[in-house]
Amino acid sequence: MDSVHPGATPTFPFDSAAILGAGLMGRLLAVTLAQAGCKIDLFEAGGPDAEGAAARVAAAMLAPLAESAIAPPSVVRMGHHALQRWPALLAPLAAPVFFQREGTLVLWHRQDAAEAARLARLLAHTTEIVPELPAMQTLDAAGIAALEPSIGRRFAQGLLLPDEGQLDNRGLLAALLATLQASPRVRLYWHSPRAIADFEPGAAGQPERVIDCRGLGARPQWSAVRGVRGEVIRVHAPEVGLVRPTRLVHPRYPLYIAPKPDKVFVIGATEIESEDMSPASVRSTLELLSAAYAVHSGFAEARILEIATQCRPTLPDNLPAFRQPRPGVLQINGLYRHGFMIAPAMLDVAMELLATGHSQLASNFDLPSELATASP
């Protein structure tokens, strides 16, 4: 069957769809399908501010090479695809969204040099397997200071992972919402939880397709989905001049700092195999803030805006997946900690599957190129 070129406006064999879940994937799909002429009903258990979505808490870093420390080549290729696609996805939205590709800076203290050397070897191996990625660059103290003058010469060595980027996750969610609200083809249903059993696709008075993007909310129908806890701190730090996402190599808590607009920074590291949604512990909070202060002393005078916890929807192999539990129903889940980095790739594959029942692009990402009806 024909494939759909990423970014092209496809023709779908249906005119209407119900989308369950208004997190990142749900909103992206709703906007894209509505732009293609489909009538969309979007159902969300929470409200329009996405308070219950993992995407609201995320740092939204687009760092395929950096993430290859824990992610397989398929996810790395998805991330590289996304870096090319995000500008086109952002352009038609109702409001501008902060997006940058200034690279990722990787730093370490002298006592962690062995861990940093291990990481460098792993990243070099990744660029051999995925040669389209730009090779990392080694930095000395002067090179680090030239990239991030506010750090000065606090670190003797570092790495730059060129062309990696990030965006403003909350700005994107808000822009997607505004775009949906302005579309005459979209009806939004807040505080309206739905399950796939509530629909009979194609029946009289029913949507022709149902797309389930509920993350952890889909567990009653997809029992393999689990939550992996993450904790992040958002701070306002006027004295911190970091321009690009910065990662600190550490054997126990590999810190990341993601600068957002208006001198807001997202600080995170923790990843816990738990579905506990309780507040962050004192220990993890102290570790995050102490590590951030070790990168830049300006964090000492930062103001804490939020300490947030959330569980990312994850499948047993930590990889994303599509599934068709019955004809006319598509489930998308398992984006794990890579939601913003891989969402454009998952979106483009979904567009092909919905348009033709087949995806040529899927083979690039080790995803099934056709959908078969799956059991729960």
Side-chain angles (χ1 to χ4, degrees):
M1 295 183 183
D2 294 335
S3 65
V4 177
H5 186 273
T9 301
T11 300
F12 296 98
F14 56 89
D15 295 320
S16 63
I19 297 176
L20 315 185
L24 176 60
M25 278 307 311
R27 294 185 190 207
L28 280 174
L29 280 160
V31 166
T32 305
L33 287 170
Q35 289 170 342
C38 294
K39 295 179 180 179
I40 301 298
D41 289 336
L42 179 59
F43 297 90
E44 166 58 40
D49 55 5
E51 277 291 347
R56 182 173 171 80
V57 177
M61 293 180 292
L62 313 174
L65 183 54
E67 284 296 303
S68 71
I70 64 163
S74 60
V75 170
V76 174
R77 289 192 293 270
M78 288 187 197
H80 184 260
H81 177 92
L83 282 167
Q84 323 303 317
R85 286 284 288 127
W86 270 120
L89 293 172
L90 298 177
L93 298 184
V97 177
F98 168 76
F99 170 83
Q100 66 160 203
R101 291 186 64 179
E102 299 292 336
T104 298
L105 182 62
V106 181
L107 303 172
W108 59 88
H109 298 296
R110 294 183 189 276
Q111 64 268 27
D112 298 317
E115 185 73 14
R118 185 198 67 81
L119 174 63
R121 290 192 297 270
L122 191 156
L123 300 184
H125 181 62
T126 297
T127 55
E128 294 175 0
I129 298 173
V130 188
E132 58 266 34
L133 290 174
M136 64 184 176
Q137 301 172 11
T138 58
L139 302 171
D140 58 14
I144 295 170
L147 285 173
E148 296 286 359
S150 66
I151 292 180
R153 294 175 177 262
R154 185 180 290 244
F155 295 89
Q157 292 180 295
L159 299 171
L160 176 67
L161 312 185
D163 294 339
E164 295 197 331
Q166 62 153 332
L167 51 76
D168 178 9
N169 59 319
R170 295 186 179 180
L172 173 60
L173 292 171
L176 289 167
L177 174 62
T179 305
L180 292 169
Q181 290 172 328
S183 174
R185 299 188 182 96
V186 177
R187 293 185 294 187
L188 303 171
Y189 298 89
W190 307 113
H191 307 290
S192 301
R194 295 290 188 276
I196 56 178
D198 297 331
F199 300 90
E200 290 293 336
Q206 291 280 308
E208 296 173 75
R209 296 290 185 276
V210 174
I211 309 170
D212 186 357
C213 304
R214 291 175 295 156
L216 292 176
R219 278 188 298 184
Q221 293 80 42
W222 198 336
S223 59
V225 176
R226 75 186 196 281
V228 176
R229 176 183 170 99
E231 302 171 351
V232 300
I233 302 175
R234 297 176 73 91
V235 302
H236 180 238
E239 296 184 22
V240 177
L242 290 176
V243 172
R244 55 188 49 77
T246 301
R247 298 187 180 221
L248 181 67
V249 177
H250 190 280
R252 193 155 56 87
Y253 45 90
L255 178 88
Y256 61 77
I257 303 170
K260 303 299 179 187
D262 303 320
K263 291 291 186 175
V264 171
F265 296 83
V266 177
I267 303 167
T270 55
E271 181 171 296
I272 305 165
E273 280 288 344
S274 168
E275 296 188 6
D276 176 17
M277 295 284 284
S278 65
S281 69
V282 170
R283 175 180 175 178
S284 62
T285 302
L286 288 173
E287 287 179 344
L288 286 175
L289 294 178
S290 297
Y293 174 73
V295 171
H296 197 299
S297 59
F299 282 114
E301 297 303 321
R303 296 298 181 258
I304 298 173
L305 302 176
E306 179 181 306
I307 302 175
T309 60
Q310 186 55 266
C311 288
R312 301 108 157 186
T314 309
L315 291 166
D317 57 4
N318 292 350
L319 297 177
F322 295 93
R323 199 175 73 151
Q324 180 176 268
R326 55 190 170 94
V329 178
L330 176 66
Q331 290 184 294
I332 306 172
N333 217 315
L335 274 66
Y336 182 38
R337 59 179 280 165
H338 304 122
F340 287 88
M341 192 179 85
I342 67 175
M346 296 294 287
L347 174 69
D348 289 340
V349 171
M351 290 300 103
E352 290 188 336
L353 292 172
L354 289 167
T356 69
H358 175 84
S359 172
Q360 292 186 5
L361 186 61
S363 61
N364 296 345
F365 310 133
D366 297 341
L367 293 166
S369 60
E370 308 225 14
L371 286 175
T373 302
S375 57

